[in-house]
Structure formats: structure tokens, C-alpha cells
């Protein structure tokens, strides 16, 4: 089960209203082309992490609530 790490977010995949919400994997910042994107995601979820001190993994995801505009396009 995935849990969104964004500060104050209680969404967990497979529970409650989050059952129907998409979750996105946080891309590893290994490659220079992805490093900027990864840093923006980490900044937007408000955890205080940066690419260099965040532990990436296959269960590190962010729910759709933290991507303005995406939820409205899914209808």
C-alpha cells in the first residue's frame, strides 16, 4: 500500500476516498534531466527533502492532490 508523504496528506492508496485517486512515483534524481523535476516534486510536497538526502524507492509516491490541474482533467 502506498502512502503519500506530502506534509499533512492522509491519502493512502486503497483506503477511503483515495481508492480512486492516482498516485505517481517520485522519479529518482540520478540523471541530470530528471533531477530538476524530482527536486520540484520534493519541494511541492513540503517534506523539506532535497534530491541528495531523499531515500528513493518503489514505494515513494505522491497522490494526485499535489498536482494542480490534473484532477480536473481526469473527468
Amino acid at each position: 500500500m502506498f502512502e503519500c508523504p506530502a506534509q499533512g496528506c492522509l491519502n493512502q492508496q486503497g483506503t477511503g476516498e483515495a481508492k480512486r485517486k492516482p498516485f505517481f512515483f517520485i522519479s529518482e534524481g540520478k540523471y541530470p534531466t530528471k533531477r530538476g523535476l524530482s527536486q520540484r516534486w520534493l519541494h511541492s510536497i513540503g517534506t523539506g527533502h532535497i534530491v541528495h538526502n531523499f531515500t528513493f524507492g518503489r514505494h515513494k509516491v505522491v497522490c494526485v492532490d499535489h498536482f494542480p490541474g490534473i484532477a480536473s482533467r481526469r473527468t
Side-chain angles (χ1 to χ4, degrees), residues 4-9 26 36-50 62-68:
C4 184
Q7 188 169 353
C9 186
I26 299 174
L37 176 64
S38 299
Q39 187 58 55
R40 286 194 305 271
W41 282 30
L42 293 173
H43 177 73
S44 71
I45 62 175
T47 61
H49 288 290
I50 58 173
V62 178
C63 73
V64 71
D65 290 354
H66 310 288
F67 294 91

Side-chain angles (χ1 to χ4, degrees), residues 3-46:
E3 183 175 328
C4 184
Q7 188 169 353
C9 186
L10 302 175
N11 288 327
Q12 293 182 353
Q13 187 180 38
T15 62
E17 289 183 21
K19 281 183 183 178
R20 295 181 297 276
K21 291 184 181 190
F23 283 72
F24 302 99
F25 289 97
I26 299 174
S27 177
E28 265 189 77
K30 285 183 185 177
Y31 306 103
T33 56
K34 303 249 183 188
R35 191 169 291 127
L37 176 64
S38 299
Q39 187 58 55
R40 286 194 305 271
W41 282 30
L42 293 173
H43 177 73
S44 71
I45 62 175

Side-chain angles (χ1 to χ4, degrees), residues 42-75:
L42 293 173
H43 177 73
S44 71
I45 62 175
T47 61
H49 288 290
I50 58 173
V51 172
H52 301 294
N53 72 3
F54 185 75
T55 304
F56 291 93
R58 62 185 185 142
H59 295 289
K60 301 292 182 152
V61 296
V62 178
C63 73
V64 71
D65 290 354
H66 310 288
F67 294 91
I70 289 180
S72 63
R73 286 185 260 162
R74 291 185 46 84
T75 56

